[in-house]
Amino acid sequence: MKRFPIFFALLLSGVLLMGADGCSSDPNVEGAKLDLRNKDYDRALENLDEALARNPQNAEAYELKGRVLQEQAFEMEDVAAHSEALTEMLAAYQEAMTLNPESAGDIQSYLNLAYVNEFQRGIQAFNRGQNNNDNAEFTAAATYFGNSGTIAPDSAGAYANQAYAYINAGETANAIGPLESAIEKGDTQPDTYVILADLYRTTEQMDKALGVLQTANEMYPENGDIAAQLLNAYVVTGQVDEAMAAYQRQVDADPENKLYRYNYGSLLLSAENYDGAIEQLTKAVELDPAYASAHYNLGAAYVNKAVDINETIGAMDDDLRANRGSMSDADIEAKETEMEAMAEQRKELFANAITPLEQAKSLFEAAGEDASAVCQALFSAYVQTGEQEKAEALTECTGYDLN
């Protein structure tokens, strides 16, 4: 899952922080410069604190304090202490630039180096997490990438990789904010949108998931993964009309795509548009005769349509019984003729369901998958078409007790 936009090598990792020291009128600042060269960071910070206590407007002291904290931070192994030092570094640099805007160029160079080194720490911790299956290292990597983003707030890559580190650490909820920041900072990778939408979905934020996927779908209209997630989001949020239109666009754009046909047919099936479902699912199994789920849903579409007709026949029969005394012989005959025609249609639909359901049963069983739901639908089709022996042979598969 990691994605490291490594646009740099380790060329900078050994670079020392060298500033244009010059001479200072403050003896503590001069002492701090010597302490920095000797890597006596604590003594350097003491000197600088004394200088700033005397003159809180000393921009040079703040800049030097940032440099001391930067070098000290990258010699620290403890993640928390390292991060705290970086926070103090940023505060010192910011104060220096406020007091002396002309220092911004030099300070930005120091910050660029800090970003590179911090990002590299994130990579190394992430790799240790992968190599050792160590969630603590992934969490550390997330901290380092987060620090990188704080140092360079416009770095989309820092936020994206922080999110991936959290996900690998099993801290998925913590990944949402960094992914949002990555997109805000200009990350346009399809995976970023898909993963963020999935995290929204798992945290029951479906409106946000839908918004992210709509944006991604506009950016990548040919991306099947994004389209599939968007369609599912429409269905989950009850926006069936939008889902129907989106599925239709997919099929129109690529009519030979079995997945698009299957998805559209399955949605039509759930919406009880059985004729539309039969059309799409028939095409899906033509494109792939081994598409077990498509065979099953096609058979289900025939069965469900037959069941609907059966319910209509039952209602008509009840009405006829209740009103026969007030009806003419001609009206009674017409109603009975209509019911007989519908009964024949019902039987034909059950018969049409048999072949795809038999195919689905064979394919599910060959793949070692549970075929009980298929067998139950097939049982009904056999019974309704008078194939009682075949129905009884399915008893074990259906789980029915016919005794």
Side-chain angles (χ1 to χ4, degrees):
M1 181 171 289
K2 67 175 181 178
R3 180 188 66 223
F4 296 125
I6 306 177
F7 43 84
F8 50 82
L10 300 183
L11 299 177
L12 299 179
S13 61
V15 176
L16 297 176
L17 297 174
M18 301 297 291
D21 289 340
C23 293
S24 171
S25 59
D26 190 307
N28 288 107
V29 172
E30 289 303 312
K33 291 176 183 177
L34 179 61
D35 294 331
L36 176 58
R37 284 193 289 271
N38 292 331
K39 298 186 180 298
D40 189 347
Y41 304 120
D42 291 336
R43 177 59 186 160
L45 292 173
E46 289 175 8
N47 268 316
L48 291 169
D49 286 342
E50 289 181 24
L52 289 168
R54 281 194 306 273
N55 178 14
Q57 305 299 309
N58 190 331
E60 182 185 13
Y62 275 115
E63 179 180 340
L64 185 58
K65 183 176 181 179
R67 290 166 52 198
V68 171
L69 288 165
Q70 183 169 346
E71 284 204 20
Q72 184 183 42
F74 285 101
E75 291 194 4
M76 293 176 172
E77 296 300 325
D78 181 79
V79 178
H82 166 83
S83 299
E84 183 179 354
L86 289 182
T87 299
E88 294 177 11
M89 172 201 77
L90 289 171
Y93 280 148
Q94 183 58 54
E95 195 67 34
M97 289 187 288
T98 299
L99 294 169
N100 179 22
E102 293 182 357
S103 68
D106 288 338
I107 290 175
Q108 188 58 55
S109 296
Y110 303 147
L111 290 174
N112 290 343
L113 177 59
Y115 172 82
V116 169
N117 286 337
E118 191 68 1
F119 201 100
Q120 181 63 22
R121 276 203 173 201
I123 293 174
Q124 291 168 345
F126 193 100
N127 289 339
R128 288 194 298 271
Q130 283 192 318
N131 294 336
N132 302 321
N133 193 27
D134 187 343
N135 284 351
E137 289 289 359
F138 285 125
T139 300
T143 300
Y144 293 136
F145 288 129
N147 291 342
S148 300
T150 303
I151 295 167
D154 292 331
S155 173
Y159 296 110
N161 284 306
Q162 182 185 28
Y164 298 151
Y166 275 132
I167 291 169
N168 278 271
E171 302 174 34
T172 53
N174 290 336
I176 292 176
L179 287 173
E180 291 173 333
S181 296
I183 291 173
E184 180 184 341
K185 302 300 180 182
D187 190 323
T188 59
Q189 294 295 320
D191 283 352
T192 304
Y193 288 87
V194 170
I195 293 170
L196 178 56
D198 190 55
L199 292 177
Y200 281 144
R201 180 186 59 77
T202 58
T203 53
E204 299 183 356
Q205 301 181 73
M206 284 307 303
D207 288 342
K208 287 186 176 182
L210 186 58
V212 167
L213 291 168
Q214 286 171 329
T215 299
N217 191 57
E218 291 173 3
M219 296 171 61
Y220 301 100
E222 304 302 321
N223 188 300
D225 192 15
I226 291 173
Q229 285 221 28
L230 176 59
L231 294 171
N232 288 336
Y234 279 136
V235 173
V236 170
T237 55
Q239 301 183 54
V240 177
D241 290 342
E242 289 83 352
M244 291 287 190
Y247 274 123
Q248 183 66 67
R249 286 194 297 271
Q250 278 194 329
V251 170
D252 291 344
D254 188 1
E256 300 303 303
N257 188 307
K258 67 177 183 180
L259 179 60
Y260 293 169
R261 294 282 189 174
Y262 171 77
N263 285 339
Y264 190 21
S266 299
L267 181 59
L268 289 166
L269 174 59
S270 68
E272 300 183 3
N273 182 344
Y274 301 125
D275 290 338
I278 289 168
E279 177 186 355
Q280 297 301 324
L281 294 166
T282 297
K283 183 62 178 179
V285 298
E286 288 176 358
L287 291 168
D288 182 3
Y291 202 161
S293 295
H295 280 290
Y296 174 43
N297 282 2
L298 176 57
Y302 282 121
V303 168
N304 287 0
K305 184 177 181 181
V307 170
D308 269 11
I309 291 174
N310 187 64
E311 291 176 356
T312 301
I313 293 172
M316 291 172 65
D317 187 53
D318 290 342
D319 181 69
L320 181 59
R321 291 174 185 274
N323 299 296
R324 180 180 290 270
S326 61
M327 296 173 64
S328 67
D329 290 343
D331 287 341
I332 293 173
E333 183 179 357
K335 184 69 70 174
E336 290 176 339
T337 300
E338 182 182 1
M339 291 168 58
E340 289 172 2
M342 293 178 68
E344 189 61 33
Q345 183 185 9
R346 176 188 59 194
K347 183 176 181 181
E348 182 179 349
L349 287 166
F350 276 118
N352 289 339
I354 290 175
T355 297
L357 290 174
E358 287 177 337
Q359 289 290 326
K361 178 178 179 293
S362 297
L363 291 167
F364 274 115
E365 290 175 342
E369 298 179 17
D370 181 12
S372 58
V374 180
C375 291
Q376 290 165 7
L378 187 55
F379 180 92
S380 296
Y382 282 147
V383 169
Q384 293 297 326
T385 54
E387 299 192 58
Q388 194 65 33
E389 290 185 5
K390 288 185 177 181
E392 292 174 359
L394 290 175
T395 301
E396 183 177 351
C397 180
T398 60
Y400 295 155
D401 184 1
L402 300 182
N403 296 325

